[in-house]
Amino acid sequence: MRVLTELPALDAAEREHLERMHALVRAEVEARGEAIPFSRYMEIALYAPRLGYYRAGWRTFGARGDFVTAPEVSPLFGRTVARQVEQALSLIGEREVIEIGAGAGTLAARMVAELVPRGGVRYRILELSGAMAARQREAIAARAPDALASVSWIDALPEPGFRGVVLANEVVDALPVERFEVTAGGVSMHHVGFEAGRPIWESRPADPRLAEAVESIQHEVGHVLPAGYVSEIGPARCAWAASIAERVERGLVLLMDYGYPRRELYHPDRRAGTLQCHFRHRAHGNPLVRCGLQDITAHVDFTALARAAGLDVAGFTTQGEFLLGCGLLDPAVGVAPGSPEFVRLTTEIKRLTLPGEMGEAIKVMALTRGIEDPLIGFSGRDHRVRL
Ligand SMILES: C[S@@+](CC[C@H](N)C(=O)[O-])C[C@H]1O[C@@H](n2cnc3c(N)ncnc32)[C@H](O)[C@@H]1O
């Protein structure tokens, strides 16, 4: 991922799209008569019907898109995650899987290709975006046609009583967050207004709920955060985790995402927060440009998610250790060293596991109810003490 020097220019269709997004933001600011919270801006930019980044049908993922996720790096990712899912399904005694936010459908296609032949699995995808759901169906039809009949799309979580596995890869970091700033006089909340034809930052005193949340973060991390410290907080993410947990009667919720335990996320040295935008493989920190044309993410507070869910935390580790625990290296056994196959496998394994690649920045958390046995993906070092 290149770090921003200069963003590529927009073509005519993108410029027109940007104008429409600006009109949406402006209309909302005018209707409220004041700047909108950053979380609302992020929601519009990513999820506004037909226009938001995930709903407009842009290329989004892969070499021709804006960023690459682990399932796009290698089929080994889905194949290895499927082993964890298979173990959990056999412990639960049900063959029900729900994937939330399946993106381009690459992980789903690989998962059903692995799971369906081992015995009928019902694989449901909860996807917010119709454009994404269409792409997922295409991906599965092309790469796992025999399994397509086992897949269906849902637009809400099932009723309580679910028994099975829920998984979400790089979904939580795309759920809206609030942005706060510690000031000499207290805590302020970043809002987005509209001026001279574009969205602009505005600052407002934090509402008591947010100020209290920031207060409790400071208390927990054991540091007074310095004036000028900016970061994000995700109440909507906690509500999301709680709503999943309350549906699960017996099962595993597997969350994989960029993020940290709370004490590390809000380390006093991380003074500018973790907001990251991706536009054609350029990473930068300004969510107010390219509205609706770029991804916007913020790292996940895994401690907050675990607490909000209230399930057993059966495991917390890095992506690299998780995949190795699930047998990532097995496909390389017996492959002749130096052969093109060996080179391909080792290159992909390195990208998925090395700390400088995706191996450490992405964490994996297993939340369970009614599962006592240890999960294979967490057989390496136990990182739960960091939560
Ligand atoms: C970064 S992409 C995830 C990519 C995919 N899981 C992968 O591994 O390549 C985020 C996905 O989550 C979807 N999404 C975001 N919020 C959602 C929600 N509340 N419920 C369901 N899907 C959601 C988006 O439309 C998009 O498909």
Side-chain angles (χ1 to χ4, degrees):
M1 179 66 62
R2 275 168 283 183
V3 173
L4 174 70
T5 44
E6 199 179 308
L7 290 175
L10 302 182
D11 64 24
E14 290 169 332
R15 279 200 303 275
E16 194 189 322
H17 193 88
L18 186 64
E19 289 303 314
R20 296 173 75 194
M21 290 302 298
H22 282 175
L24 270 188
V25 175
R26 191 170 95 181
E28 180 120 350
V29 169
E30 285 177 357
R32 290 197 190 206
E34 59 180 3
I36 55 178
F38 176 72
S39 59
R40 177 61 189 146
Y41 171 82
M42 186 167 167
E43 193 179 357
I44 295 172
L46 296 182
Y47 304 113
R50 294 182 306 286
L51 292 176
Y53 178 71
Y54 282 111
R55 289 195 150 168
W58 302 115
R59 263 287 104 215
T60 320
F61 306 94
R64 286 168 51 231
D66 299 307
F67 58 93
V68 175
T69 60
E72 311 274 333
V73 166
S74 166
L76 289 174
F77 179 81
R79 183 172 168 172
T80 311
V81 174
R83 288 185 164 192
Q84 177 59 90
V85 172
E86 186 61 57
Q87 184 214 10
L89 292 176
S90 67
L91 292 173
I92 299 159
E94 300 277 351
R95 297 197 64 76
E96 292 276 347
V97 179
I98 297 178
E99 182 181 348
I100 303 182
T106 311
L107 176 60
R110 175 54 54 182
M111 294 287 285
V112 294
E114 298 287 329
L115 297 174
V116 170
R118 292 186 196 157
V121 160
R122 179 154 72 138
Y123 198 95
R124 286 180 282 172
I125 298 179
L126 172 58
E127 174 54 62
L128 204 64
S129 157
M132 286 293 167
R135 200 176 301 168
Q136 291 154 17
R137 182 180 290 280
E138 272 172 37
I140 297 166
R143 294 179 214 161
D146 295 343
L148 186 59
S150 305
V151 185
S152 56
W153 280 261
I154 50 178
D155 51 20
L157 287 167
E159 292 299 311
F162 176 77
R163 291 169 155 250
V165 174
V166 178
L167 77 148
N169 183 57
E170 285 198 45
V171 176
V172 189
D173 73 349
L175 298 179
V177 283
E178 302 295 355
R179 198 165 195 228
F180 68 85
E181 180 168 353
V182 177
T183 66
V187 178
S188 67
M189 206 172 150
H190 286 187
H191 281 61
V192 177
F194 199 85
E195 205 175 276
R198 63 184 56 180
I200 54 155
W201 290 115
E202 287 191 21
S203 210
R204 296 280 153 87
D207 63 46
R209 195 181 42 96
L210 189 82
E212 209 173 285
V214 175
E215 183 73 24
S216 81
I217 288 172
Q218 307 207 47
H219 186 72
E220 272 185 64
V221 299
H223 297 281
V224 174
L225 298 173
Y229 186 94
V230 173
S231 193
E232 303 84 28
I233 187 165
R237 295 174 172 187
C238 291
W240 177 88
S243 73
I244 296 169
E246 72 192 21
R247 264 57 177 215
V248 177
E249 183 181 286
R250 180 154 197 242
L252 162 68
V253 180
L254 193 63
L255 302 174
M256 300 170 273
D257 231 306
Y258 287 95
Y260 299 101
R262 169 160 281 205
R263 279 192 297 269
E264 295 166 40
L265 179 61
Y266 298 110
H267 192 280
D269 288 347
R270 206 183 304 285
R271 298 172 72 100
T274 64
L275 267 192
Q276 257 213 352
C277 307
H278 295 105
F279 182 75
R280 299 208 201 123
H281 298 275
R282 263 74 163 187
H284 69 97
N286 187 356
L288 300 194
V289 299
R290 303 289 197 269
C291 181
L293 296 167
Q294 65 178 5
D295 191 27
I296 306 173
T297 66
H299 279 30
V300 173
D301 175 352
F302 277 98
T303 307
L305 276 193
R307 279 186 201 153
L311 299 172
D312 299 330
V313 183
F316 177 67
T317 190
T318 62
Q319 172 173 294
E321 290 188 46
F322 172 76
L323 294 175
L324 291 169
C326 293
L328 176 69
L329 301 183
D330 293 356
V333 173
V335 178
S339 66
E341 170 72 349
F342 188 83
V343 172
R344 183 183 64 75
L345 285 172
T346 49
T347 306
E348 292 176 3
I349 288 169
K350 282 184 194 165
R351 279 195 75 188
L352 292 172
T353 57
L354 286 183
E357 301 272 354
M358 293 174 161
E360 213 167 88
I362 300 180
K363 311 293 188 302
V364 183
M365 186 161 74
L367 302 171
T368 57
R369 196 190 311 273
I371 298 180
E372 305 304 331
D373 296 52
L375 298 172
I376 54 171
F378 303 89
S379 49
R381 200 150 67 90
D382 188 349
H383 291 259
R384 284 179 292 184
V385 286
R386 291 166 61 191
L387 284 170

